[in-house]
Amino acid sequence: DTGVSQDPRHKITKRGQNVTFRCDPISEHNRLYWYRQTLGQGPEFLTYFQNEAQLEKSRLLSDRFSAERPKGSFSTLEIQRTEQGDSAMYLCASSLAGFAGTGELFFGEGSRLTVL
Amino acid sequence: SQQGEEDPQALSIQEGENATMNCSYKTSINNLQWYRQNSGRGLVHLILIRSNEREKHSGRLRVTLDTSKKSSSLLITASRAADTASYFCARNEAEDSSYKLIFGSGTRLLVRP
């Protein structure tokens, strides 16, 4: 078990370009979360998957953002037509639902996006 | 804003001293958790306290929860330079079937050697 991994760790892009981030959760975890964190702030919830179903989306997730979790394994977060305000750290976390779960989230190291 | 309130925003102490961070929230919760984040890294879970618990210990960490005041505190005893990091409280709100966490704005702790 190598924990939650995210790729890429850093991405610099020009305004208007599309970017995609990937998250590989801990293999037996059925819940997956995406958060966004700006400098000096705590993480803000973006969206949540249980297995392959996207069950909740924050109003922070504009229509330029889309997330998928095909087959309930890895997840991708795509941002279309990036804006400078999208610059942030995008964090992925996973957890195990049910009585076997402890309630804690396991975070990856994050993908830092800089939009020029 | 999703975020709760944490106090203080920043704390600077000498190695060996104790550090206390406070967290307040407004909703009913299932549990409250504390996480640590080193600069530019992901978050690491420290401790979870359930709504029916009042105090919990883990090594040099002590967490209290007062649901009547909707507040929690994290105490780090005998601090070390390696404790320098940002600390976040995060609540799991009652009746939230996603079990997502709502994070506070964090306390940035500096432990001077």
Side-chain angles (χ1 to χ4, degrees):
Chain A
D1 179 5
T2 57
V4 178
S5 62
Q6 293 188 244
D7 182 69
R9 291 289 314 278
H10 304 275
K11 178 72 176 177
I12 300 174
T13 191
K14 293 183 179 179
R15 185 166 52 93
Q17 298 294 306
N18 299 345
V19 296
T20 299
F21 302 115
R22 176 182 171 121
C23 171
D24 287 271
I26 293 172
S27 56
E28 65 267 27
H29 285 184
N30 49 7
R31 289 188 173 141
L32 187 146
Y33 305 81
W34 284 98
Y35 284 82
R36 181 175 70 186
Q37 186 179 26
T38 53
L39 199 63
Q41 298 297 314
E44 293 181 297
F45 169 77
L46 291 179
T47 190
Y48 152 67
F49 291 84
Q50 175 134 349
N51 301 311
E52 68 276 9
Q54 187 175 19
L55 297 183
E56 188 173 341
K57 292 192 287 187
S58 163
R59 58 180 172 79
L60 294 175
L61 212 65
S62 76
D63 55 7
R64 295 184 298 106
F65 288 69
S66 63
E68 294 182 343
R69 192 183 183 197
K71 303 178 183 176
S73 55
F74 71 92
S75 176
T76 58
L77 177 68
E78 180 183 17
I79 309 174
Q80 296 182 325
R81 304 182 303 282
T82 52
E83 301 173 354
Q84 288 183 325
D86 296 331
S87 295
M89 175 81 89
Y90 291 86
L91 293 161
C92 176
S94 68
S95 71
L96 185 61
F99 293 107
T102 58
E104 69 180 271
L105 299 189
F106 294 80
F107 281 85
E109 293 289 348
S111 293
R112 179 167 295 285
L113 173 65
T114 301
V115 182
L116 302 176
Chain B
S1 170
Q2 298 177 12
Q3 300 188 342
E5 298 293 325
E6 288 192 57
D7 170 59
Q9 290 187 349
L11 182 60
S12 179
I13 59 174
Q14 202 73 32
E15 203 165 28
E17 294 180 338
N18 296 342
T20 299
M21 292 159 251
N22 303 295
C23 168
S24 63
Y25 57 93
K26 296 180 179 178
T27 61
S28 297
I29 61 171
N30 290 321
N31 63 67
L32 189 139
Q33 304 179 33
W34 287 87
Y35 286 78
R36 167 195 167 123
Q37 185 179 37
N38 287 74
S39 181
R41 307 295 297 273
L43 285 85
V44 175
H45 180 263
L46 295 176
I47 197 164
L48 179 153
I49 186 165
R50 302 192 187 283
S51 59
N52 61 353
E53 297 175 315
R54 292 296 168 259
E55 187 170 313
K56 209 159 181 184
H57 297 255
S58 177
R60 293 184 296 113
L61 306 181
R62 173 178 168 252
V63 168
T64 62
L65 178 65
D66 186 335
T67 52
S68 65
K69 294 181 179 178
K70 291 186 165 53
S71 68
S72 175
S73 67
L74 171 68
L75 169 67
I76 303 174
T77 59
S79 64
R80 306 166 181 167
D83 293 329
T84 294
S86 292
Y87 292 82
F88 296 91
C89 69
R91 65 188 187 273
N92 171 228
E93 296 186 333
E95 301 177 7
D96 182 349
S97 60
S98 77
Y99 294 93
K100 67 178 178 290
L101 294 179
I102 307 297
F103 284 84
S105 52
T107 294
R108 279 151 286 286
L109 174 65
L110 172 64
V111 181
R112 305 186 305 274

